[in-house]
Amino acid sequence: MNVIKLKHVSDTKAWHPSKVPPLKVGLVQINNSFSGQNYLPYTIACLRSYIEVHAVDPARYTFLPFIYKRMSIKHIVEQLKEADIVGFSTSVWNANISLEVARRLKQLKSKIIIVFGGPQVPDKPETFLRTHSFIDIAVHNEGERTFLSLLERMPECNWEGVAGISYLSKNAAFIKTGPVDRMKDLEQLPSPFLNGIFDQLILENPNEKWIGLWETNRGCPFQCTFCDWGSATAGKVNRFEKDRLFLELDWFAQNKIEYIFVCDANFGSQKRDIDIAEYVAHLRGKTGYPQGFSVQSTKNATERAYI
């Protein structure tokens, strides 16, 4: 069985296809619903935010409505059938339904490009890709720059040099490229809360109640074997600017988001986390929102773990 490892090109704008027809992009992050509330699809909104700012020609891409909750597979496929490429953000709770949606999409439209990312994608994905041959590309670790690189290389679909991916070549050889460099300056990633993407989603779905997914930083210095955070990054924690975070918290309050789930690996590890928690309490007292603020506490036993 052939295995090929390739070096990567880190610059997403290094590739310039000779033809750049418009592309329809589908993005899928199927979350569970609780008490009539649905999670804002933060992961795929970050993908779209990054593309709309950093693409060579952002106007080239038309984004289909987000798939953000469980519906019938038939209905999801119907929503995505016009797409040229579909990116799936997968975790343990949505892996099976995502796979079946992807299988049916490829069956319906053989030329559609199916991309899987997220924690459910194995670090050693050869068996995964061979078992699920309808998946064209597996993305590893941070996906914003990688997914944009894939879009910029369509319709030629020459993936050589794209960092952080695995795929099967035309002759069925398994190929895994070098890892993508982590995004050190997180201000490169526009906020989907502040740039209108989630405003549009809320406007289009007026009967929904929303739960917030939110990051204040990315990374984890620990390497716990049971956890995907540290094993994926095992390095420095990169932080979003505090002013931006406070504006995002204002957005949550203004949009009456009752519950915020903080996606950080170690909330309380940063001294500024006390300021963030105090601002959340301030907003709750002033506006009534958020009513719940869930965190994963820092692994080290410090006074900041119990604010």
Side-chain angles (χ1 to χ4, degrees), residues 214-219 229 262-267 273 295-296:
W214 191 53
E215 289 181 301
T216 76
N217 62 58
R218 287 185 177 182
W229 267 306
V262 182
C263 302
D264 301 357
N266 299 282
F267 192 81
D273 291 345
V295 303
Q296 288 66 235

Side-chain angles (χ1 to χ4, degrees), residues 56-77:
V56 173
D57 179 13
R60 181 188 178 207
Y61 305 111
T62 299
F63 292 93
L64 302 182
F66 289 144
I67 303 298
Y68 61 86
K69 66 179 180 179
R70 287 182 178 271
M71 300 177 282
S72 72
I73 293 173
K74 181 179 179 181
H75 183 66
I76 296 174
V77 171

Side-chain angles (χ1 to χ4, degrees), residues 170-188:
K170 291 181 179 179
N171 64 359
F174 171 68
I175 297 173
K176 184 173 185 180
T177 66
V180 65
D181 295 331
R182 290 180 59 205
M183 197 183 304
K184 294 180 180 179
D185 178 10
L186 294 183
E187 297 310 304
Q188 296 177 35

Side-chain angles (χ1 to χ4, degrees), residues 39-85:
Y39 285 101
L40 290 164
Y42 176 73
T43 301
I44 56 177
C46 285
L47 294 179
R48 178 172 168 179
S49 291
Y50 190 83
I51 292 161
E52 289 183 341
V53 169
H54 295 285
V56 173
D57 179 13
R60 181 188 178 207
Y61 305 111
T62 299
F63 292 93
L64 302 182
F66 289 144
I67 303 298
Y68 61 86
K69 66 179 180 179
R70 287 182 178 271
M71 300 177 282
S72 72
I73 293 173
K74 181 179 179 181
H75 183 66
I76 296 174
V77 171
E78 183 68 19
Q79 294 284 95
L80 294 169
K81 68 180 183 180
E82 299 301 321
D84 299 298
I85 181 170

